[in-house]
Amino acid sequence: MADLNHTIKVKARCTFKNDKGQRCKTMTTMTHPFCEDHTRSELGFWIGQSTVPNAGLGLFSSNKYKKGDTIVEYAGEVITTKQYNERYENSGYGEYGMTLGTRRVIDARKTSSGLGRYVCDAYGSEHKKNSQYEEDKGKIHIIAIRKIKPGDEILISYGKEMRRAMGIQPEKSKKDKKKKKDKKKDKSKK
Ligand SMILES: [Zn+2]
């Protein structure tokens, strides 16, 4: 999900203010609304290389959560399904879209959408998913489904339906991955 090639990078100044009302001067592209340091100190999250192979960046938490806790919102631009389809029918870059009911989609393609967009699908990881999407009052939250320890990556299952809506290729089964095609022998290397 966190394939940065398809994201729209938004650069903005960190919104953190100290006790004296002085605003942080650091610019951020990835961790809106705060810079990396203040995302850690204020929210308890950081973005790092995902533990899921080839998944790109992932979301890690320095907090602990118990089952049922809200971890983070999956935020973004709320548009209609029709607008969403028109936006991505040609490019196929709709992997940040999350269906909201049947008529709306949350498009988190912009990096300013918040941290929920960095949560990776646990598929292919040695870790189990520890969260799930839950819709409530026109918002989608990422909720803990098991105990999460400080330092753990937040992992989820996008689900088949969601994947399709998101324009992600269906998962290859482990069988397919292991299947080796007959290799052509390189005759020039005799
Ligand atoms: Zn800051």
Side-chain angles (χ1 to χ4, degrees), residues 76-112:
E77 188 186 352
V78 179
I79 55 176
T80 66
T81 307
K82 189 169 175 279
Q83 286 172 319
Y84 181 79
N85 290 337
E86 284 167 2
R87 189 176 281 186
Y88 293 113
E89 64 186 349
N90 295 320
S91 72
Y93 294 163
E95 63 262 58
Y96 286 93
M98 184 77 63
T99 50
L100 186 58
T102 53
R103 294 189 178 175
R104 287 175 299 163
V105 177
I106 297 176
D107 188 0
R109 193 172 168 211
K110 289 181 181 170
T111 57
S112 54

Side-chain angles (χ1 to χ4, degrees), residues 14-16 24-26 34-39:
C14 174
T15 59
F16 177 81
C24 174
K25 289 195 170 91
T26 310
F34 299 125
C35 66
E36 229 174 279
D37 287 351
H38 286 125
T39 297

Side-chain angles (χ1 to χ4, degrees), residues 2-18:
D3 179 354
L4 296 181
N5 296 325
H6 298 170
T7 67
I8 298 168
K9 290 183 185 176
V10 179
K11 202 172 181 183
R13 191 173 157 190
C14 174
T15 59
F16 177 81
K17 281 181 184 169
N18 68 12

